[in-house]
Amino acid sequence: MTAKECILGRRSIRSYKPDPVDHSLLEEVVAEASYAPSWKHTQIARYIAVEGALKDKIADEGFSMFPGNGNIVRQAPVLIAVTVIKNRSGYERDGSFSTDRGDGWQMFDAGVAAQTFCLAAYEHGLGTVIQGIFDRETITSLLGLGEDRELVCLIPTGYPEGDAIAPKRKEVSEYISYQ
C-alpha cells in the first residue's frame, strides 16, 4: 500500500466485528507509530491497550456527555488510550518553554502520534476512530494514570464491520492560499 492509498483509504470506523485483535499485531502497529515525529524527538506518546471488563467499564462510565462514543467503545474489541508524558514537548532542558506556544506542542505531538497509529492500523486491516469527547477525569482514574501522564484521546480499534464511505472534500482552493 502506498502512502497515498493509506491516506485516501483510511476512514473513521464506528462499527467493528467482534474478532479479537492479536497483541502482536497491536505491538507491530505501535512500533510503526513510534516513527511519528515529535518535538526535539521527545517521543512523549504512550499507548494503553484496554480490553475486557475495564474496556466495558470505561464504555459504561466514561461518556456521560456523549454516550454514543461509549457505544462505539463497547463493541470495539480493543480501546487504545493515547497518553503523553507531560512537561517535555515544547520545553527546554531547564524547564523553560522553547516558543510562545508554551506546552501546546504536547497536543500537536499527540495528534501526530494518534494519526500515525491510525494509518499504521489501517495498513494492517484494522479500523479506528479518534475520539475526543469523553469524561477525561473518570477515564484517567479508571486507567490509574500518574501525575506525569495526560490522557489525550481514545481510539476504538478492531476489524471494520462493512465499508465506510469517504465524505465529500472541499475544493483544494479552500485549503491553500499563496502569498
Side-chain angles (χ1 to χ4, degrees):
M1 177 179 303
T2 67
K4 182 178 180 178
E5 290 169 334
C6 195
I7 292 166
L8 296 180
R10 189 234 162 239
R11 295 281 151 276
S12 292
I13 302 299
R14 293 173 176 86
S15 182
Y16 302 91
K17 294 177 181 176
D19 307 351
V21 178
D22 190 85
H23 290 186
S24 64
L25 178 57
L26 286 174
E27 290 167 11
E28 189 171 343
V29 169
V30 168
E32 292 166 9
S34 75
Y35 281 82
S38 62
W39 178 269
K40 295 188 177 186
H41 199 55
T42 51
Q43 303 177 70
I44 62 168
R46 298 295 185 270
Y47 307 90
I48 302 170
V50 186
E51 301 169 304
L54 180 57
K55 181 187 69 73
D56 292 341
K57 187 174 179 94
I58 288 171
D60 292 339
E61 299 177 16
F63 297 92
S64 64
M65 61 183 80
F66 193 72
N69 277 351
N71 294 335
I72 295 167
V73 168
R74 187 174 293 102
Q75 53 115 9
V78 65
L79 174 65
I80 301 297
V82 179
T83 71
V84 293
I85 299 172
K86 297 191 304 189
N87 303 322
R88 286 195 187 165
S89 184
Y91 290 84
E92 294 298 321
R93 291 184 190 269
D94 66 5
S96 65
F97 291 123
S98 299
T99 73
D100 63 355
R101 297 251 182 223
D103 66 356
W105 283 103
Q106 177 173 291
M107 289 300 286
F108 183 84
D109 284 356
V112 171
Q115 178 65 354
T116 304
F117 176 92
C118 290
L119 291 171
Y122 175 70
E123 199 212 2
H124 289 283
L126 297 172
T128 57
V129 62
I130 299 173
Q131 295 181 331
I133 303 175
F134 52 86
D135 303 334
R136 188 173 321 279
E137 287 182 23
T138 299
I139 297 174
T140 294
S141 176
L142 289 171
L143 292 173
L145 293 181
E147 290 293 317
D148 66 328
R149 298 271 287 279
E150 181 177 337
L151 175 61
V152 176
C153 66
L154 300 171
I155 306 177
T157 303
Y159 296 97
E161 182 73 62
D163 294 325
I165 308 258
K168 186 176 185 236
R169 297 296 193 245
K170 297 176 183 180
E171 294 296 321
V172 172
S173 61
E174 293 187 54
Y175 293 112
I176 189 169
S177 63
Y178 296 93
Q179 297 188 13

